[in-house]
Amino acid sequence: MDDINTLRRILREAKTIAVVGLSADWYRPSYFAAKYMQEHGYRVIPVNPKYSEILGEKCYRSVREAPVKIDIVDVFRKTEDVMPIAEDAIAVGAKVLWQQLGVRNETAAAKARAAGLDAVMDRCVKIEHGRLFGGLGWVGVNTHIISAKRPRWLPY
C-alpha cells in the first residue's frame, strides 16, 4: 500500500505496534522509529529474544507471545525472514504487516493481504507518520545529538 490515504488511515487507526527486531541500542534505526512512535502516543511492543525489556516495555520472543491486541506488526528483519513473521501477524489478528525500508517480501505481503491484512513494504513507519501528521520537524528522538540547527560555535 503506497497511497497516502491508506497510510494515513493505518496510522490514524492503529494504537499498538509490535516492532520485530527492535534493538535496545539507541543509535539503531529500529530504536529511533520505536521511540518516535512511542512519543507520539502509540504503544510499542518490542519483539526480540535478545532482550527482556526495551523502552520500558517487556520484550517478547515472538509476536504470538504478546498478551495485547496488536494493530501493526513492524518488521526490522531481513527480507527472507519476513514470511514466519507474516504468519504470526495473521495468527494474532493484526491489521497491518509493515515491512521497513529495504525490506520487501512480496510473497509475505500477498499472504497477509489474502488473510485480510493491509501490507506496507519498503517504508519507515516513523518517516510516514512524520510526513503525514506533521512530525518531520521533530528531529531524531529528542536526544539533542542530531539536529537541523546550525551550531553557534565552530568545530575547528
Side-chain angles (χ1 to χ4, degrees):
M1 295 286 148
D2 287 335
D3 67 281
I4 289 173
N5 291 331
T6 302
L7 293 172
R8 188 174 282 127
R9 175 186 52 78
I10 288 169
L11 292 171
R12 189 183 312 111
E13 293 174 357
K15 303 284 184 254
T16 306
I17 304 172
V19 183
V20 181
L22 177 57
S23 173
D25 297 327
W26 67 267
Y27 52 85
R28 302 291 301 169
S30 62
Y31 187 92
F32 268 67
K35 176 77 171 165
Y36 172 92
M37 296 309 283
Q38 193 178 54
E39 291 290 326
H40 284 82
Y42 295 86
R43 170 125 187 244
V44 172
I45 305 298
V47 179
N48 191 330
K50 252 174 87 172
Y51 306 102
S52 61
E53 183 180 294
I54 303 174
L55 293 170
E57 292 279 352
K58 182 178 176 357
C59 205
Y60 298 93
R61 297 179 57 78
S62 76
V63 173
R64 291 180 194 240
E65 289 182 13
V68 297
K69 174 120 178 65
I70 295 169
D71 298 314
I72 299 174
V73 175
D74 187 12
V75 184
F76 276 93
R77 297 295 311 270
K78 291 186 242 169
T79 298
E80 55 270 15
D81 296 340
V82 175
M83 184 55 82
I85 298 164
E87 291 166 351
D88 288 350
I90 293 165
V92 300
K95 297 175 185 171
V96 182
L97 175 67
W98 191 299
Q99 299 176 55
Q100 276 292 333
L101 288 173
V103 183
R104 192 171 188 86
N105 189 319
E106 300 277 355
T107 309
K111 186 169 189 167
R113 284 189 194 104
L117 281 72
D118 285 315
V120 178
M121 293 184 291
D122 198 20
R123 291 200 178 257
C124 175
V125 71
K126 174 189 180 293
I127 291 170
E128 294 306 319
H129 185 277
R131 181 172 74 98
L132 298 171
F133 297 100
L136 288 178
W138 198 85
V139 179
V141 293
N142 227 9
T143 60
H144 302 291
I145 293 172
I146 299 172
S147 175
K149 292 182 180 176
R150 180 167 267 155
R152 293 181 189 251
W153 50 271
L154 296 175
Y156 51 88

